């Protein structure tokens, strides 16, 4: 069953990347005269072609989107986890409330963000004007700000996952380590730097790996917020593949780009796991 659901589509995608499809009719597929070898891959890498120019821009946007989302999600999750680790009234309610962005259906969450980002009636611009940070209206879903819009929405969507995972990791940190650090004269920052963060290294490694992969191949957030024809600053690789496959009728180019994205993601996952995740657990940090 796993082979049918995941394996066959992946294999077909690789095969399709070596053919030129004149149409979506099945009878036009895989004919000897439509075999183009590595031409699609070559076109993607050539900056002076229409496909290559779009690819390099989307690759830069995707890297910025991934770095911004992962850093923002991890930092916000860590701050939330450290806050939940303290004793305060209403802690149980707070632990439940922070899960709302993660358990709410993604379409509902993103459509709400889409309304909030509207330039004319959106609450984001209203709050910024009230705070005196802007005078007019910013276009969040068009132009250069669209990258910030998808990063903010993605961070909001995923930070509860990071927070809960890190909070669970904090429960396993021995209290004796904090007592020993306190005897050595460590303050709050010292305890965080020399005790908390090293003890959270294994769980942090797993969280960062998953966030990188989830963000790099994320489609719902940019598509629902920006639509299928975003501006250059929000045109991540997944939207570009969608555009090649369903709007520009460049099925072979889209398949080649999908194949490269698949191999790139698998390589990142393997290297990161071997160098960071596996070494963290082998080191006995937990």
């Amino acid at each position: 069953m796993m082979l049918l659901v995941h394996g066959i589509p992946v294999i077909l995608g690789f095969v399709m990347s070596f053919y030129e499809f004149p149409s979506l009719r099945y009878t036009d597929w895989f004919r000897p005269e439509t075999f183009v070898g590595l031409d699609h891959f070559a076109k993607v890498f050539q900056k002076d072609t229409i496909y290559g120019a779009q690819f390099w821009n989307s690759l830069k946007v995707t890297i910025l989107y991934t770095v911004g989302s992962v850093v923002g999600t991890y930092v916000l999750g860590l701050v939330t986890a450290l806050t939940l680790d303290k004793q305060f009234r209403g802690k149980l309610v707070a632990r439940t409330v922070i899960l709302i962005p993660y358990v709410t259906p993604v379409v509902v969450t993103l459509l709400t963000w889409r309304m909030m980002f509207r330039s004319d009636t959106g609450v984001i611009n209203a709050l910024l004007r009230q705070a005196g940070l802007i005078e007019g209206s910013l276009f969040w879903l068009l132009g250069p700000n669209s990258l910030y819009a998808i990063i903010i929405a993605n961070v909001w969507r995923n930070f509860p996952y990071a927070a809960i995972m890190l909070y669970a990791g904090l429960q396993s940190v021995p209290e004796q380590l904090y007592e020993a650090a306190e005897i050595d004269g460590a303050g709050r920052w010292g305890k965080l730097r020399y005790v908390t963060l090293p003890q959270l290294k294994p769980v942090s490694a797993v969280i960062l790996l998953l966030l990188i992969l989830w963000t790099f191949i994320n489609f719902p957030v940019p598509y629902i917020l920006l639509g299928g024809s975003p501006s250059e600053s929000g045109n991540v690789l997944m939207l570009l593949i969608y555009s090649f496959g369903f709007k520009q009728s460049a099925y072979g180019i889209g398949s080649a780009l999908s194949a490269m994205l698949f191999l790139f993601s698998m390589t990142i996952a393997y290297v990161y796991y071997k160098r960071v995740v596996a070494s963290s657990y082998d080191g006995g940090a937990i």
Side-chain angles (χ1 to χ4, degrees), residues 136-285:
S137 296
L138 294 178
F139 290 94
W140 288 97
L141 304 178
L142 292 172
N145 291 326
S146 56
L147 175 61
Y148 302 126
I150 58 178
I151 289 176
I152 292 171
N154 199 36
V155 169
W156 176 256
R157 168 72 183 167
N158 288 324
F159 93 88
Y161 167 78
I164 293 302
M165 292 286 287
L166 291 169
Y167 175 69
L170 287 173
Q171 306 312 301
S172 64
V173 180
E175 190 62 30
Q176 294 86 345
L177 294 178
Y178 290 112
E179 294 174 357
E182 195 168 339
I183 292 173
D184 291 338
R188 288 185 178 180
W189 170 246
K191 292 178 184 176
L192 176 66
R193 181 178 178 184
Y194 297 110
V195 178
T196 303
L197 293 181
Q199 290 297 310
L200 290 178
K201 185 179 177 183
V203 68
S204 297
V206 175
I207 292 171
L208 291 174
L209 173 60
L210 292 177
L211 289 178
I212 290 171
L213 294 177
W214 289 349
T215 306
F216 205 79
I217 60 174
N218 182 268
F219 180 75
V221 172
Y223 181 74
I224 295 176
L225 280 182
L226 308 179
S229 301
S231 54
E232 284 190 359
S233 63
N235 196 17
V236 296
L237 284 173
M238 291 301 293
L239 290 186
L240 184 63
I241 293 172
Y242 170 82
S243 176
F244 282 153
F246 296 95
K247 291 193 169 185
Q248 302 182 41
S249 300
Y251 313 112
I253 295 287
S255 298
L257 197 52
S258 299
M260 289 193 297
L261 192 61
F262 174 80
L263 293 175
F264 187 64
S265 300
M266 294 298 291
T267 303
I268 288 179
Y270 178 77
V271 172
Y272 188 89
Y273 179 83
K274 295 295 288 184
R275 289 185 173 271
V276 180
V277 179
S279 62
S280 297
Y281 282 90
D282 290 342

Side-chain angles (χ1 to χ4, degrees), residues 8 10 12 16 21 27 50 52 65 79-80 85 88 100 107 109 117 145 153 219 222 247-248 255:
I8 292 179
V10 171
L12 280 177
M16 289 174 67
F21 296 97
T27 53
I50 184 173
Y65 172 54
V79 171
T80 305
D85 196 43
F88 60 90
I100 290 177
V107 175
T109 301
F117 278 128
N145 291 326
F219 180 75
K247 291 193 169 185
Q248 302 182 41
S255 298

